[in-house]
Amino acid sequence: MALRDSFHSRIGFVLAAAGSAIGLGNIWGFPTNAANNGGGAFLFVYLVVTFLLAIPALYAEIYIGNQAQKNPVSALGEACSERMPKVGRLAGKIGLVGAIMMLSFYTIVAGWMLSHSFAGFTALFGLSEVSSWLASDSTLRNILFTPIFIILGAAIIHQGVHKGIEKWSSRLMPILLIMLICLIIYILQQDGAVEGLKQYLIPDFSRVTEPKLIISAMGQAFFSLSIGVGGMMIYGSYMAKDKDIGKLVFSIGALDTLIAFLAGLLIIPALYVAQHAGQEVFAGDNLIGEGQLIFNILPTLFSTMGDVGLFVSAAFFALLSIAALTSTISSTEVPVSYLVEEKSMSRPKATWLISAIVLTASMTLVAFFDVLFGLVIQGLTTILQPLSCLFYFIVVGWIWNRGNKLKDQSVIANRPYLKYWGNYLQYVCPLLLLLVFYNVALA
């Protein structure tokens, strides 16, 4: 049996895992949710949920993969082997389905980002008709750009973990961060930005107990960290066993939260800048067009900057395309690793087979967009991902004994803090998740 590929450095793992976490969930989804749920109130609840639930769930997922050194189906089957191996493997396979679900809509949205980036570039060369079509919302555009993005991701995945995922994540992530900061500096100098900053940074604490806001914040935290579908589990398995998972998880969580915060710092003030310029942005408390507003408002805002605005527009949507690419890599790796390790399929063949399945699923969403698109996103982020994280807590805290260092008394004796951390994962995290579901059910 061939040796498994792996990450060759700590920083490579952190950047790849952060690249998985940092994507459209942060830069597209987070600001949209924040704007629709009270701005600062949503940010406050998001930070609390991230600290209390999402980062522990990230730890549990990476920890299971790292200890097993296997794909998610095998890793969960092994962790549950003493009591319920079939349940563990079933949960792993549900994660495979979740990864396909995520990719099915993610690649469509990523295609929007790519086409808008091209729209900026073509406008620079005076191709106004082409630019206008690229920036328009059409089924034909989705049919053309979704496959382009799927092929880009597959081209990286089939190169392997070190030569593909690690190398490209290490290149793309720093570029993303630099571009984001530069855009924030520009937007914050515009008229109306201060009002957006106040809305974003000053919470209305009377709203922080709203069930809709809490479930949105929880779904956003799990979605933006890419947990609950096995992507972080497979990345954990590619890291040398028994590394300091706690420090790695904190690094990933901190970087992901920083990017989400910065995305809000860019987009929410930008919405108020657009509103100050006379554009209609809100209908009551909600954004007009929800997530589509980014594509309706921001290009118009950029166009007011003259030729410089074309560069800014192209750079902004290129940034979103980079963020999307680093995220789709990990989700694609989940089913690819399963086929390579359990079905003895070559990596190139597995990669292109999964890409074909994702393309079929994406085209189905395109064909029935109004019915399926929002339904798939809601089902994944507010049901499947939280339930998967609840299962990870149960596995680490209640089911998995043999090989689980959080239950090994000889290990705990040398590192007493593991006892308290293990108890938090075992008792507190499942209880908090169940309380959230209970409050939502009552609402």
Side-chain angles (χ1 to χ4, degrees):
M1 181 178 177
L3 291 174
R4 293 181 92 233
D5 202 351
S6 64
F7 292 110
H8 286 202
S9 67
R10 177 190 177 94
I11 188 64
F13 170 78
V14 170
L15 287 174
S20 170
I22 297 165
L24 300 184
N26 301 73
I27 302 176
W28 169 66
F30 175 83
T32 301
N33 272 324
N36 282 332
N37 290 282
F42 180 87
L43 175 62
F44 176 79
V45 175
Y46 173 82
L47 293 174
V48 171
V49 170
T50 296
F51 179 75
L52 294 180
L53 277 175
I55 289 180
L58 177 63
Y59 176 92
E61 183 168 336
I62 289 178
Y63 175 65
I64 293 169
N66 184 253
Q67 291 300 300
Q69 298 283 289
K70 295 177 180 177
N71 68 82
V73 176
S74 298
L76 287 170
E78 184 176 291
C80 300
S81 62
E82 295 177 62
R83 300 181 182 180
M84 44 183 70
K86 290 185 178 179
V87 172
R89 289 184 62 83
L90 176 62
K93 289 179 180 178
I94 291 173
L96 300 185
V97 174
I100 298 295
M101 286 176 63
M102 181 178 286
L103 288 164
S104 68
F105 71 81
Y106 214 93
T107 51
I108 294 172
V109 179
W112 299 345
M113 307 299 176
L114 201 58
S115 66
H116 274 275
S117 180
F118 287 163
F121 285 116
T122 52
L124 285 171
F125 293 98
L127 302 173
S128 56
E129 290 187 10
V130 175
S131 177
S132 178
W133 180 81
L134 288 168
S136 66
D137 182 20
S138 69
T139 300
L140 178 59
R141 190 191 66 173
N142 290 341
I143 291 173
L144 290 177
F145 276 88
T146 301
I148 290 174
F149 203 87
I150 292 173
I151 291 170
L152 282 174
I156 292 175
I157 283 286
H158 96 279
Q159 296 177 57
V161 178
H162 172 57
K163 293 182 179 180
I165 298 172
E166 182 175 0
K167 182 177 73 174
W168 283 100
S169 295
S170 298
R171 291 175 176 177
L172 295 175
M173 291 310 301
I175 296 172
L176 185 154
L177 185 59
I178 292 168
M179 292 170 68
L180 184 57
I181 291 172
C182 290
L183 287 169
I184 289 170
I185 292 171
Y186 178 84
I187 289 295
L188 292 183
Q189 297 178 60
Q190 308 306 306
D191 293 337
V194 173
E195 186 181 352
L197 273 180
K198 291 179 180 178
Q199 175 69 13
Y200 181 52
L201 298 178
I202 302 175
D204 176 2
F205 287 104
S206 67
R207 298 195 60 182
V208 299
T209 56
E210 293 178 7
K212 177 179 177 291
L213 188 151
I214 294 172
I215 194 68
S216 294
M218 184 180 69
Q220 179 61 49
F222 290 161
F223 177 51
S224 67
L225 276 170
S226 294
I227 47 180
V229 296
M232 290 302 188
M233 195 177 297
I234 191 61
Y235 274 17
S237 78
Y238 291 142
M239 194 66 184
K241 193 172 181 179
D242 295 329
K243 291 286 185 182
D244 191 339
I245 299 298
K247 289 182 180 178
L248 293 171
V249 167
F250 180 78
S251 299
I252 297 162
L255 190 52
D256 175 78
T257 304
L258 173 65
I259 295 294
F261 174 77
L262 290 176
L265 206 57
L266 167 66
I267 291 174
I268 293 181
L271 295 177
Y272 281 84
V273 170
Q275 189 176 55
H276 185 270
Q279 297 183 59
E280 193 174 1
V281 177
F282 292 95
D285 292 331
N286 290 328
L287 294 171
I288 296 172
E290 300 267 332
Q292 286 285 352
L293 190 67
I294 288 177
F295 306 104
N296 297 332
I297 293 295
L298 292 184
T300 305
L301 176 64
F302 294 145
S303 69
T304 63
M305 305 174 192
D307 290 340
V308 174
L310 297 177
F311 283 106
V312 174
S313 178
F316 176 75
F317 287 108
L319 178 154
L320 291 180
S321 299
I322 291 170
L325 182 59
T326 56
S327 293
T328 55
I329 288 170
S330 69
S331 296
T332 306
E333 181 65 14
V334 175
V336 167
S337 66
Y338 171 74
L339 293 178
V340 169
E341 294 179 14
E342 296 220 353
K343 303 301 179 182
S344 300
M345 194 175 290
S346 69
R347 174 168 283 273
K349 184 177 180 180
T351 300
W352 295 108
L353 174 60
I354 293 301
S355 297
I357 293 172
V358 170
L359 178 60
T360 301
S362 297
M363 291 300 101
T364 302
L365 290 193
V366 169
F368 302 97
F369 188 88
D370 292 338
V371 176
L372 293 180
F373 188 75
L375 191 64
V376 170
I377 294 176
Q378 183 177 17
L380 178 72
T381 60
T382 64
I383 299 174
L384 193 148
Q385 285 183 283
L387 287 177
S388 292
C389 291
L390 177 61
F391 183 72
Y392 298 158
F393 290 138
I394 293 172
V395 168
V396 171
W398 297 93
I399 299 175
W400 180 21
N401 289 316
R402 189 174 59 214
N404 183 358
K405 297 187 184 304
L406 298 178
K407 294 293 190 70
D408 189 330
Q409 295 303 315
S410 63
V411 175
I412 293 174
N414 295 323
R415 289 184 282 177
Y417 66 88
L418 287 178
K419 177 182 178 181
Y420 301 106
W421 180 236
N423 287 339
Y424 184 78
L425 295 176
Q426 182 175 8
Y427 298 107
V428 180
C429 289
L431 181 61
L432 288 174
L433 259 179
L434 289 173
L435 283 174
V436 171
F437 283 127
Y438 178 72
N439 285 330
V440 171
L442 289 180

